[in-house]
Amino acid sequence: MQIFRNPVLFLSIVLAAQPGNGIAEDHSEYIEGPFNSVHEVTEACLDCHDDAAESFMQSIHWTWGSPQDLPGDQVSAIIGKRTVLNNFCIGLESNEARCTSCHAGYGWKDEKFDFEDPLNVDCLVCHESTGTYKKFPTTAGYPVDKETEFPKGSGKLFKIPDLEKIAMSVGDSPTRSACGSCHFYGGGGNNVKHGDLDAALINPSRELDVHMGGADMTCVDCHETNDHTIAGNAMSVSTHASETLSCESCHGEEPHEKYSYYLDAHAKTLACQTCHIPTFARANPTKMSWDWSQAGDSERKIIKDENGMPDYNKKKGAFVWGKNVVPTYAWYNGDSERMLLGDEVKLDAMNTLAAPLGDKSDLQSKIHPFKVHVGKQIADKKFKYLLPTHLFNGGYWDHYDWERSVTVGAEKSNIAYSGRYTFVETEMYWEIDHMVAPKEDALMCSDCHKRTQPSRMDWHALGYKGDPRYTKGQSRTTMR
């Protein structure tokens, strides 16, 4: 297990905005079409913005990783979305053309992708404001060149984009829907991965999100941008705290007006999100469990839960979904632990892929809310580490043969495969930072402090002998 700094105290992944919420500009005087390819659009953009590609290609949205020091090892490695494993779709390598449908570029289908070619940059995915520009899920970041149904039999059609019209609509500030076209759909569907990033945020009510629904804010109002570098990074894909993004940046350290003595004292120990996001997945369900070991059964009957979500998919295995989920609470000081490729796993116990660090005695720690996603995924039985898997385009989803899948995945990732595999249990913590409820819906004292009934807080897990409100010798205000 590697331990390192996270570049943000809270979830950084950029939200998005609906058409009309960004600052659109009429580029009809500058854009001359028609365009035969998306690369021609990029070329037209760079005719005026000749330095934009250079700055963008330094950003994490382009590189999907950066050289970062691993504490204790005194070495540097490329850490980021392109290198780490997760317990959703597992990993990028050997599956590029599917995963990179959310890359802000064109053509990353294998290790030969040219990261130095500015014409591979996709300007439209962030800057268009029509809401009609869509990258196709399986073509390495390109839109379709002919009308295509996907998935087959779904009736959902991807249409040829009007590149000239879309290019004329570009604006400086990305809309919520532009950011959300990728960030709402991590893990293969709406709200699957994070639990607090959902397409409902394109046009939310105040009750769902007081910032985007109540104040009509966009993602970049919080995730401020400088030369294409966007503030914030996810705990699961970063190794150092290069920047901080927090509620206090706008609201200050003592934000409360009523009952400020008690509430501001709690704010020294509790993250704002702990009280102000009482539950997550309030609009649409999120995936809470994913068991890959059950994949491949053509005869299995699929059962839908009370929210209409399926419990099984032949390609992916068994699922459990949740809606209006009470978070798991843990101390978080901005540091995280992260399992990397090649780290040893336990074959018969839970393995933590990503988790916050901190404890009650650490004055830099606060209690934060998290979604904990549990999984069961493939590992090398002899070498005792997780195995990268080839899923897409000739992989497991075509032949349902785990042996072939991990053989190719291991080769592509330059890691040895012993020829013997098993499945191990894993868990990942995901910060809950979005879908902030109105203040009247924030938690009350009695939600956490109950003399007789179970509390939403696991006080023993947080390092207390019991509820600090009723336990002798433990402060009610600072909760230390």
Side-chain angles (χ1 to χ4, degrees):
M1 187 69 70
Q2 301 287 351
I3 297 176
F4 42 75
R5 294 289 301 175
N6 183 330
V8 59
L9 291 178
F10 313 100
L11 179 64
S12 65
I13 297 196
V14 202
L15 255 199
Q18 84 184 64
N21 277 0
I23 302 174
E25 299 174 8
D26 183 2
H27 274 64
S28 58
E29 295 184 20
Y30 314 109
I31 296 296
E32 184 177 347
F35 298 105
N36 296 313
S37 74
V38 288
H39 297 283
E40 290 183 4
V41 177
T42 301
E43 186 174 22
C45 295
L46 298 182
D47 281 343
C48 292
H49 304 282
D50 55 355
D51 59 344
E54 181 179 353
S55 66
F56 178 73
M57 289 192 292
Q58 307 304 312
S59 75
I60 203 71
H61 277 79
W62 177 255
T63 63
W64 277 15
S66 60
Q68 298 174 24
D69 294 331
L70 303 179
D73 296 337
Q74 300 300 312
V75 297
S76 183
I78 299 295
I79 304 297
K81 186 175 178 65
R82 67 193 289 187
T83 60
V84 300
L85 299 176
N86 60 60
N87 58 3
F88 289 86
C89 283
I90 303 176
L92 172 72
E93 290 184 300
S94 76
N95 302 300
E96 286 89 347
R98 182 66 177 89
C99 299
T100 60
S101 63
C102 270
H103 183 242
Y106 303 117
W108 185 1
K109 62 182 179 179
D110 53 33
E111 66 280 1
K112 298 178 182 178
F113 178 68
D114 187 356
F115 284 92
E116 303 301 320
D117 185 353
L119 294 185
N120 285 336
V121 171
D122 183 354
C123 305
L124 297 179
V125 72
C126 294
H127 291 285
E128 75 98 12
S129 63
T130 67
T132 64
Y133 177 75
K134 300 183 185 303
K135 293 153 81 76
F136 193 69
T138 64
T139 55
Y142 286 102
V144 296
D145 55 11
K146 63 179 180 179
E147 189 171 287
T148 306
E149 182 186 36
F150 185 88
K152 289 184 178 180
S154 68
K156 181 179 179 181
L157 294 178
F158 283 76
K159 297 183 178 181
I160 303 171
D162 184 338
L163 295 178
E164 185 174 12
K165 178 182 177 181
I166 292 168
M168 289 179 179
S169 81
V170 296
D172 180 61
S173 178
T175 64
R176 287 198 294 271
S177 58
C179 301
S181 64
C182 286
H183 291 295
F184 295 154
Y185 297 95
N190 182 33
N191 203 34
V192 164
K193 184 176 284 185
H194 298 281
D196 65 343
L197 289 173
D198 182 335
L201 291 172
I202 292 174
N203 188 23
S205 65
R206 176 178 179 271
E207 289 69 31
L208 180 62
D209 188 281
V210 72
H211 296 111
M212 287 179 275
D216 199 28
M217 293 172 63
T218 63
C219 312
V220 293
D221 287 329
C222 288
H223 296 275
E224 294 182 347
T225 304
N226 181 25
D227 285 340
H228 290 101
T229 296
I230 299 175
N233 277 297
M235 186 181 80
S236 60
V237 293
S238 303
T239 63
H240 62 282
S242 61
E243 58 189 350
T244 298
L245 188 65
S246 70
C247 302
E248 291 85 350
S249 298
C250 287
H251 296 286
E253 299 289 341
E254 298 180 344
H256 301 94
E257 296 178 1
K258 293 183 65 176
Y259 312 113
S260 59
Y261 173 78
Y262 294 101
L263 297 180
D264 288 340
H266 275 66
K268 298 181 187 304
T269 302
L270 297 174
C272 302
Q273 300 94 313
T274 298
C275 293
H276 290 277
I277 310 179
T279 60
F280 60 88
R282 298 202 303 277
N284 291 292
T286 188
K287 197 167 287 184
M288 299 299 295
S289 173
W290 185 333
D291 184 351
W292 279 97
S293 71
Q294 298 186 48
D297 185 354
S298 301
E299 305 300 320
R300 177 160 173 169
K301 181 180 178 180
I302 297 175
I303 300 173
K304 292 188 176 181
D305 66 15
E306 64 273 19
N307 296 307
M309 305 306 293
D311 71 339
Y312 187 75
N313 182 303
K314 178 184 176 182
K315 287 186 172 184
K316 299 179 179 180
F319 313 131
V320 175
W321 301 82
K323 190 176 181 184
N324 286 313
V325 182
V326 173
T328 296
Y329 297 98
W331 293 101
Y332 185 31
N333 62 13
D335 291 359
S336 66
E337 56 183 358
R338 185 66 170 84
M339 183 175 286
L340 301 180
L341 183 63
D343 286 349
E344 184 174 344
V345 298
K346 300 180 285 286
L347 300 183
D348 55 358
M350 181 64 72
N351 296 277
T352 301
L353 301 190
L357 292 178
D359 57 52
K360 183 165 70 74
S361 64
D362 180 355
L363 297 181
Q364 301 302 312
S365 296
K366 289 187 178 183
I367 296 172
H368 284 249
F370 294 89
K371 168 186 169 177
V372 180
H373 181 262
V374 297
K376 201 167 185 181
Q377 58 200 113
I378 200 162
D380 194 291
K381 195 170 185 178
K382 176 182 178 182
F383 298 139
K384 297 183 180 179
Y385 47 59
L386 295 176
L387 287 168
T389 54
H390 181 210
L391 300 171
F392 174 72
N393 194 18
Y396 182 79
W397 291 341
D398 290 322
H399 51 62
Y400 298 102
D401 184 334
W402 282 118
E403 187 74 32
R404 290 172 61 185
S405 178
V406 295
T407 298
V408 173
E411 180 182 355
K412 291 284 187 179
S413 302
N414 295 313
I415 192 169
Y417 170 51
S418 71
R420 300 168 58 205
Y421 67 82
T422 187
F423 287 86
V424 300
E425 294 182 307
T426 60
E427 64 177 5
M428 286 189 76
Y429 283 67
W430 296 84
E431 308 105 302
I432 297 297
D433 294 304
H434 306 96
M435 296 188 176
V436 175
K439 61 182 179 181
E440 58 267 24
D441 295 332
L443 294 181
M444 305 295 287
C445 302
S446 58
D447 289 308
C448 297
H449 299 293
K450 298 182 178 183
R451 190 181 289 276
T452 56
Q453 302 176 43
S455 166
R456 67 168 49 215
M457 292 286 176
D458 185 340
W459 294 113
H460 293 284
L462 291 167
Y464 293 95
K465 297 176 182 178
D467 187 333
R469 184 176 186 179
Y470 303 113
T471 304
K472 186 177 180 180
Q474 296 190 12
S475 167
R476 289 191 303 170
T477 55
T478 65
M479 295 173 55
R480 293 289 183 192

